[in-house]
């Protein structure tokens, strides 16, 4: 991390109360950035609130779809770098409420980009897309030149947001880059229906973890602290190299892990012999996904700081402390 790059730099973050958002706020404040966070809902148990991180930043209350709020925040705080992370990220919720997910993820993206387009001070924009933007494809691992083929509501929302970002880069020369990462995990994730936090909570309570699918789907699990580092690395490189404008980058440990595998790893690290309850009731989920991060390694000089087991150990430690403190 180029700390002098961030010192006193005005930075705007959407999605600061989310999993990766909290790690990004922590990383940037520790580097001396002047962080402005857009916050819609006050979530007292979120890591960014619980750890006192919001006490170290400027909070703008509002919705990412509100053009006036976003534009005012960028202008009044003279923002130089933007990280757009805000999204509805739960596949099950997207299936039940597609209009809400599509509106938040697609309109939210063009609202941020349009506000940036109107503000000449913004020099770098990092938009968080997802491996789900690629949809279900036969050729694996995904590389950045693969087509975006989302078919279900969440996947489509990420494909669209990704393409909108590319359009703003190419049409308006907006200094935007796109990140595509796998399934994030890490301390601070309070979405208990996700496999990592749900499994850890169950095992720490002496209960059997629940797997909603058949457990055989392959996913690309990526530690949230590595995600935050990837975002800051990309912004730094974008500032130095305008040739990166409009490009997308995969970030990944480049390992294929089934849901059953990740549950077994967590059981081993926790020291539990409780077997999972496999319900096989999930729908509209991509069967096999994993990413190539070769481009990020070669172009950005990036590599993850943690392997998956170390990321899981750190995550389990976070939840042990969380529950020890009566949460």
């Amino acid at each position: 991390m180029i700390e002098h790059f961030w010192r006193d730099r005005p930075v705007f973050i959407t999605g600061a109360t989310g999993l990766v958002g909290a790690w990004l706020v922590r990383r940037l404040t520790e580097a001396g950035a002047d962080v402005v966070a857009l916050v819609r809902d006050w979530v007292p148990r979120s890591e960014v609130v619980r750890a006192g991180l919001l006490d170290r930043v400027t909070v703008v209350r509002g919705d990412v779809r509100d053009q006036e709020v976003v534009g005012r925040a960028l202008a009044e705080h003279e923002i130089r770098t933007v990280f757009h992370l805000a999204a509805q990220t739960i596949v099950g919720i997207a299936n039940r409420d597609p209009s809400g997910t599509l509106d938040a993820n697609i309109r939210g993206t063009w609202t941020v980009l349009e506000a940036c387009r109107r503000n000449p001070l913004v020099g770098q924009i990092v938009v968080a897309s997802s491996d789900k933007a690629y949809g279900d494809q036969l050729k694996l691992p995904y590389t950045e030149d693969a087509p975006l083929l989302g078919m279900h509501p969440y996947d489509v929302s990420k494909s669209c947001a990704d393409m909108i970002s590319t359009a703003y880069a190419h049409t308006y020369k907006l200094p935007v880059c796109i990140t595509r990462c796998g399934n994030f995990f890490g301390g601070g994730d309070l979405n208990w229906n996700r496999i990592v936090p749900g499994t850890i909570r169950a095992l720490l309570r002496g209960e059997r973890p629940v797997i909603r699918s058949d457990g055989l789907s392959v996913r690309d699990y990526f530690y949230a602290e590595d995600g935050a580092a990837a975002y800051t690395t990309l912004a730094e490189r974008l500032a130095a190299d305008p040739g990166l404008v409009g490009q997308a980058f995969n970030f990944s440990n480049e390992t294929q892990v089934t849901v059953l595998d990740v549950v077994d790893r967590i059981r081993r690290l926790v020291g539990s012999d409780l077997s999972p309850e496999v319900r096989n009731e999930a729908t509209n989920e991509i069967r096999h996904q994993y990413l190539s991060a070769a481009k990020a390694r070669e172009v950005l000089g990036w590599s993850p700081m943690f392997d998956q087991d170390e990321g899981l150990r750190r995550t389990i430690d976070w939840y042990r402390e969380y529950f020890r403190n009566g949460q």
Side-chain angles (χ1 to χ4, degrees):
M1 187 176 192
I2 307 173
E3 296 198 8
H4 67 79
F5 177 85
W6 298 106
R7 190 177 303 126
D8 300 326
R9 176 173 287 268
V11 177
F12 184 68
I13 302 176
T14 74
T17 58
L19 169 59
V20 184
W23 286 104
L24 183 59
V25 169
R26 183 188 298 276
R27 184 172 179 84
L28 288 170
T29 54
E30 289 176 352
D34 184 5
V35 175
V36 178
L38 180 68
V39 175
R40 185 191 65 179
D41 298 331
W42 189 258
V43 186
R45 292 188 299 166
S46 65
E47 177 66 0
V48 76
V49 175
R50 181 175 164 273
L53 293 171
L54 285 189
D55 296 335
R56 302 168 60 185
V57 308
T58 299
V59 175
V60 173
R61 299 301 298 270
D63 193 297
V64 72
R65 296 166 291 186
D66 189 325
Q67 185 79 62
E68 183 177 347
V69 168
V70 176
R72 180 186 66 80
L74 297 183
E76 291 187 2
H77 298 284
E78 300 182 301
I79 297 299
R80 301 289 302 280
T81 304
V82 172
F83 293 95
H84 175 46
L85 279 63
Q88 194 300 103
T89 61
I90 306 300
V91 172
I93 293 174
N95 290 336
R96 292 191 299 272
D97 179 26
S99 61
T101 297
L102 295 170
D103 192 39
N105 296 1
I106 299 174
R107 182 152 65 105
T109 298
W110 86 55
T111 297
V112 170
L113 295 176
E114 183 63 16
C116 291
R117 186 178 72 86
R118 298 177 184 184
N119 191 313
L121 290 182
V122 174
Q124 305 85 39
I125 307 149
V126 174
V127 172
S129 183
S130 166
D131 61 349
K132 306 301 181 293
Y134 290 115
D136 198 350
Q137 302 197 22
L138 295 176
K139 183 181 177 182
L140 294 171
Y142 298 136
T143 57
E144 289 84 353
D145 57 359
L148 304 180
L149 300 174
M151 294 187 66
H152 303 297
Y154 177 72
D155 314 339
V156 166
S157 78
K158 301 309 285 187
S159 296
C160 289
D162 202 310
M163 295 177 70
I164 289 167
S165 302
T166 302
Y168 268 81
H170 289 291
T171 305
Y172 305 110
K173 309 306 178 188
L174 200 66
V176 57
C177 277
I178 301 149
T179 68
R180 298 172 186 157
C181 303
N183 288 29
F184 280 116
F185 70 91
D189 188 356
L190 302 182
N191 288 304
W192 303 111
N193 58 352
R194 286 183 177 144
I195 193 65
V196 172
T199 297
I200 294 173
R201 182 175 71 167
L203 293 175
L204 293 180
R205 289 178 172 178
E207 302 169 354
R208 294 177 65 193
V210 171
I211 296 176
R212 294 180 299 107
S213 65
D214 63 4
L216 300 178
S217 296
V218 172
R219 289 290 180 267
D220 198 323
Y221 293 94
F222 192 45
Y223 182 47
E225 193 170 353
D226 270 323
Y231 293 167
T232 57
T233 296
L234 182 54
E236 291 164 8
R237 299 297 186 271
L238 178 58
D241 183 2
L244 298 180
V245 168
Q247 295 193 40
F249 290 87
N250 295 338
F251 294 98
S252 167
N253 285 93
E254 300 180 290
T255 56
Q256 302 181 63
V257 184
T258 68
V259 175
L260 280 170
D261 285 340
V262 79
V263 170
D264 284 342
R265 288 187 185 193
I266 295 170
R267 290 171 58 211
R268 172 172 52 81
L269 293 168
V270 170
S272 172
D273 58 1
L274 291 170
S275 60
E277 176 187 344
V278 181
R279 293 185 177 175
N280 196 19
E281 60 187 18
T283 58
N284 296 338
E285 293 194 351
I286 297 167
R287 190 63 170 172
H288 194 165
Q289 293 184 297
Y290 76 106
L291 295 159
S292 166
K295 181 180 177 182
R297 285 188 275 107
E298 295 165 6
V299 175
L300 306 177
W302 173 86
S303 62
M305 298 180 292
F306 308 97
D307 63 24
Q308 284 187 341
D309 277 358
E310 180 58 25
L312 286 171
R313 286 189 194 95
R314 295 168 74 93
T315 301
I316 291 166
D317 288 345
W318 187 94
Y319 286 104
R320 285 191 193 277
E321 181 183 358
Y322 179 79
F323 290 120
R324 190 181 300 123
N325 291 331
Q327 300 295 327

